[in-house]
PDB file of all heavy atoms in Angstrom:
ATOM      1  N   ARG A 326       3.003  13.239 -18.947  1.00 95.00           N
ATOM      2  CA  ARG A 326       2.861  12.028 -19.736  1.00 95.00           C
ATOM      3  C   ARG A 326       4.232  11.260 -19.782  1.00 95.00           C
ATOM      4  O   ARG A 326       4.218  10.052 -19.856  1.00 95.00           O
ATOM      5  CB  ARG A 326       2.441  12.368 -21.165  1.00 95.00           C
ATOM      6  CG  ARG A 326       0.926  12.686 -21.292  1.00 95.00           C
ATOM      7  CD  ARG A 326       0.480  12.734 -22.709  1.00 95.00           C
ATOM      8  NE  ARG A 326       1.032  13.989 -23.358  1.00 95.00           N
ATOM      9  CZ  ARG A 326       0.345  15.125 -23.293  1.00 95.00           C
ATOM     10  NH1 ARG A 326      -0.790  15.229 -22.638  1.00 95.00           N
ATOM     11  NH2 ARG A 326       0.864  16.211 -23.823  1.00 95.00           N
ATOM     12  N   ILE A 516     -16.158   9.890  -7.695  1.00 92.00           N
ATOM     13  CA  ILE A 516     -16.789  11.018  -6.943  1.00 92.00           C
ATOM     14  C   ILE A 516     -16.654  12.300  -7.809  1.00 92.00           C
ATOM     15  O   ILE A 516     -15.548  12.546  -8.255  1.00 92.00           O
ATOM     16  CB  ILE A 516     -16.143  11.160  -5.589  1.00 92.00           C
ATOM     17  CG1 ILE A 516     -16.385   9.941  -4.744  1.00 92.00           C
ATOM     18  CG2 ILE A 516     -16.710  12.415  -4.879  1.00 92.00           C
ATOM     19  CD1 ILE A 516     -17.809   9.691  -4.370  1.00 92.00           C
ATOM     20  N   GLU A 521     -17.527  16.076  -1.565  1.00 83.00           N
ATOM     21  CA  GLU A 521     -18.545  15.071  -1.358  1.00 83.00           C
ATOM     22  C   GLU A 521     -17.988  13.755  -0.896  1.00 83.00           C
ATOM     23  O   GLU A 521     -18.755  12.776  -0.823  1.00 83.00           O
ATOM     24  CB  GLU A 521     -19.317  14.895  -2.649  1.00 83.00           C
ATOM     25  CG  GLU A 521     -19.996  16.149  -3.234  1.00 83.00           C
ATOM     26  CD  GLU A 521     -20.693  15.904  -4.527  1.00 83.00           C
ATOM     27  OE1 GLU A 521     -20.930  14.729  -4.839  1.00 83.00           O
ATOM     28  OE2 GLU A 521     -21.012  16.860  -5.192  1.00 83.00           O
ATOM     29  N   ILE A 548      -9.695  17.566 -11.491  1.00 91.00           N
ATOM     30  CA  ILE A 548      -8.454  17.832 -12.183  1.00 91.00           C
ATOM     31  C   ILE A 548      -8.699  18.142 -13.673  1.00 91.00           C
ATOM     32  O   ILE A 548      -8.172  19.088 -14.244  1.00 91.00           O
ATOM     33  CB  ILE A 548      -7.526  16.620 -12.063  1.00 91.00           C
ATOM     34  CG1 ILE A 548      -7.200  16.371 -10.603  1.00 91.00           C
ATOM     35  CG2 ILE A 548      -6.246  16.812 -12.848  1.00 91.00           C
ATOM     36  CD1 ILE A 548      -6.467  15.095 -10.349  1.00 91.00           C
TER      37      ILE A 548
END
Side-chain angles (χ1 to χ4, degrees):
R326 282 190 289 272
I516 297 296
E521 302 178 16
I548 300 172

